[in-house]
């Protein structure tokens, strides 16, 4: 695992992440892709229901509620009404924060 931690990716994409998971877990890339897809579906479904997903040490996925507000069109300066919305949010855990210092 130490050797895997030394692997350097710049702007890792999904295929590179699948390859990394497959190597680290000693499984096929197809199974690694299924595992990654299952993870993203699980997080998405929990957030849709308004539930947080906490991975101790890594971080917490949650939903931020944004209230309706007035804004300005940057081109015309005209006042516009911005509707209330919900947005996904990620808060890094201590272990992750310490790792990127």
């Amino acid at each position: 695992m130490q050797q895997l931690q030394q692997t350097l990716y710049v702007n890792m994409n999904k295929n590179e992440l699948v390859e990394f998971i497959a190597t680290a877990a000693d499984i096929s890339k197809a199974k690694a892709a299924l595992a990654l897809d299952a993870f993203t579906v699980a997080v998405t479904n929990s957030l849709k229901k308004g539930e947080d997903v906490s991975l101790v040490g890594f971080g917490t996925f949650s939903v931020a509620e944004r209230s309706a507000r007035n804004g300005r069109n940057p081109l015309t300066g005209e006042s516009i009404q911005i509707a209330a919305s919900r947005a996904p949010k990620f808060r890094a855990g201590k272990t992750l924060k310490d790792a990127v210092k």
Side-chain angles (χ1 to χ4, degrees), residues 4-5 19 23 33 38-40 43-44 55 57 59 63 66 68-70 80-81 87 93 99 101:
L4 290 173
Q5 290 176 345
E19 184 176 330
T23 303
F39 172 76
T40 57
V43 171
T44 301
L55 303 173
V63 176
R66 296 186 178 156
R69 61 196 185 280
N70 289 322
I80 58 172
Q81 181 65 27
K101 281 187 179 178

Side-chain angles (χ1 to χ4, degrees), residues 15-31:
N15 288 334
E16 292 167 338
L17 182 56
V18 166
E19 184 176 330
F20 184 86
I21 293 168
T23 303
D26 195 26
I27 58 175
S28 70
K29 286 184 184 177
K31 287 186 179 182

Side-chain angles (χ1 to χ4, degrees), residues 10 38 66 97:
V10 177
R66 296 186 178 156
K97 286 180 187 177

Side-chain angles (χ1 to χ4, degrees), residues 2 9 11 27 36 47 58 66 90 94:
Q2 182 66 22
Y9 288 101
N11 298 324
I27 58 175
L36 182 58
L47 294 179
F58 184 72
R66 296 186 178 156
F90 178 76
K94 182 176 178 0

Side-chain angles (χ1 to χ4, degrees), residues 85-100:
S85 63
R86 295 166 32 111
K89 182 170 109 175
F90 178 76
R91 187 174 59 247
K94 182 176 178 0
T95 305
L96 180 59
K97 286 180 187 177
D98 291 345
V100 298

Side-chain angles (χ1 to χ4, degrees), residues 67-83:
S67 59
R69 61 196 185 280
N70 289 322
R72 294 221 176 264
N73 180 329
L75 293 177
T76 65
E78 179 185 352
S79 182
I80 58 172
Q81 181 65 27
I82 301 171

Side-chain angles (χ1 to χ4, degrees), residues 42-54 60-65 86 89:
V43 171
T44 301
N45 289 342
S46 292
L47 294 179
K48 279 182 183 178
K49 293 186 231 173
E51 300 169 350
D52 291 352
V53 177
S54 295
T60 302
F61 296 91
S62 60
V63 176
E65 301 287 338
R86 295 166 32 111
K89 182 170 109 175

